[in-house]
Amino acid sequence: MKQYILSGKQSGFIDEYCIRTMGIPSVVLMERAALAVAERIKKICPADAGILAVCHVGNNGADGLAAARILDDLGHRVKVIIVGRPEKGTEEFHLQSEILTHTDITVEYADEKTFECSGYDVIIDGIFGIGLSRDVQGVYADIIEKINQSDSTVVSIDIPSGLNADTGRPMGISIEADHTVTFGNLKLGHKISGGKDYCGNIYTADIGFRKEPYRQLSRQEPVRYTYIPDKDRDLFDSPGRQKLRLPGRIQASNKGTYGKVAVIAGFGGMTGAAYFSAKAAYLCGAGLVKVISVKETTDILKSMLPEAIYAEIDEKKDTSSRIRELVSDCRAVVIGPGLGQGDAACEAVKAVLTLELPVVMDADALNILGRHRNLSGHLGKNIIITPHVLELSRMTGISRREITEDIVAAAEAFAGTRQCICVLKDSSTVVSSMAGDRLQTYINITGNSGMAAGGSGDVLSGILGGLLAQQTGCREAAELGVYIHGTAGDLAAEKKTEYGVTASDILEAIPGAISRLI
């Protein structure tokens, strides 16, 4: 199911619109948020669990105070520690503090010297929320470090304190949560860069945000969204409105119905890369796969993949005209896996850039664009590029560090400038493209660390090519392809663990991933 994934600013807009424009009392939203936190804690800990709520004086802390009260009502042993200066507290914080004075809950104020969090089954992190704008230092850094060193199960409210809601990077230091309960929608920081390692299990709760602010937001901001895997739906309470859809199949069909894709690969002698890409295209439903490579590669591949058809390139002759001739009967082209960066490979890339066919550019094709940056000017809406961070750095001249600081911004900047579909591969793959005059970005949340293995990207390129051969639109193919790829990786990890996944395992799991979508 489809779900928006928001920046910190966008999340604040949704909250403010519901309160200021629509008139929904903030305390109503807060009570529903606190109830969601309490219900999640009730599910993960025993009835006699000792619970410590660590709360700052902002609205995130107010959520924590309300959750502590609800848990006390449910019979848990609850204590509250407030950090920060109460006189600087928000209106909602003071309201929740006043309510607590009418209960038997112990409330203490602490600094780094008096703060003690040992001996509790659960610690509620209600320190900072999505609005944090500077690095965590001083007393707050010391308190977060003590919480991280505790043996307690840590549950963060909305986002782990100290984690940047936009980039998924810790701002100096961050809570390392076991569980995070967020409201309305996922935030970018939950799922990109290192965010997944800090958030633990993430649950979204519907607390009453209306549809209207989302409509307003989509008219003003880049639209960012994700698709929630079926197996995780119990973690996500917000209803979905749209599903990923596979290209259709009909009974009265033949191999021509589902298209021919050309895989231009293996010039550099990397037969495995060409194999993974070509085989993946078949497993995603392509009718025919034509492998275009040098004779040394095709001779080996014919026994590995007899289903494919083969065409040979003589590197001493005119590669450009030969490539154009060979792909003339194809619906889509994949270029790059194991291609090498020699003269013939460069000529092949230049030839493909002149085609009107949908094209997937991966691996060495991207390295060639990095060496000849002027070629990037020929990218367009019919081209999907699939770089990892280092490849995008080579193509743009932007440092790897700068790209990793905000991978969403990096993908959107390239897609917006070059008018292509940018599939930026990272711990969560980002797919950015133009829809008319607006950027839209898909954040893929399938996949796991086991996919950080050689050949995994070659499998993805073939998946994309197979979908394009079936006349799936470029943007739709990119989104669906990375979802299938990640799901296949998840299925492979279920069998092999994340330590043992190989590209062959991902390849073999593609039918299972498609089966889940069906």
Side-chain angles (χ1 to χ4, degrees), residues 316-397:
K316 297 178 181 179
K317 296 183 179 180
D318 184 357
T319 302
S320 295
S321 59
R322 176 69 170 155
I323 291 290
R324 284 191 285 269
E325 173 192 344
L326 291 174
V327 303
S328 61
D329 60 345
C330 296
R331 284 188 186 167
V333 174
V334 175
I335 185 169
L339 189 69
Q341 299 180 50
D343 291 342
C346 290
E347 289 303 310
V349 168
K350 291 176 183 177
V352 165
L353 286 171
T354 66
L355 301 175
E356 295 183 2
L357 294 172
V359 174
V360 179
M361 304 191 76
D362 183 39
D364 280 329
L366 302 177
N367 290 326
I368 289 169
L369 292 183
R371 287 172 51 199
H372 306 278
R373 290 182 189 164
N374 60 305
L375 294 178
S376 294
H378 297 285
L379 297 174
K381 294 180 179 179
N382 66 315
I383 295 179
I384 302 172
I385 64 165
T386 61
H388 53 59
V389 170
L390 183 56
E391 288 167 340
L392 187 64
S393 176
R394 292 171 182 150
M395 292 169 65
T396 61

Side-chain angles (χ1 to χ4, degrees), residues 135-155:
D135 282 358
V136 179
Q137 298 176 337
V139 56
Y140 303 110
D142 293 335
I143 287 172
I144 288 174
E145 185 173 4
K146 286 183 178 179
I147 293 173
N148 287 341
Q149 291 173 349
S150 74
D151 295 326
S152 305
T153 296
V154 179
V155 179

Side-chain angles (χ1 to χ4, degrees), residues 191-220:
K191 288 296 180 180
I192 63 173
S193 299
K196 290 188 286 189
D197 293 322
Y198 287 91
C199 293
N201 297 312
I202 303 172
Y203 309 87
T204 64
D206 181 359
I207 64 170
F209 292 141
R210 297 285 300 169
K211 299 176 183 177
E212 289 79 6
Y214 291 100
R215 295 191 186 112
Q216 291 291 329
L217 190 64
S218 65
R219 299 186 188 111
Q220 304 170 25

Side-chain angles (χ1 to χ4, degrees), residues 223-273:
V223 177
R224 303 182 180 111
Y225 49 91
T226 189
Y227 288 92
I228 306 302
D230 282 351
K231 67 182 180 67
D232 292 335
R233 282 193 183 184
D234 63 316
L235 307 184
F236 299 90
D237 300 331
S238 300
R241 297 182 180 86
Q242 183 179 341
K243 296 181 180 180
L244 283 162
R245 297 192 181 277
L246 290 161
R249 308 288 288 190
I250 58 175
Q251 295 306 308
S253 59
N254 55 59
K255 60 183 179 247
T257 307
Y258 305 112
K260 183 189 295 184
V261 56
V263 176
I264 306 172
F267 288 21
M270 297 178 69
T271 307

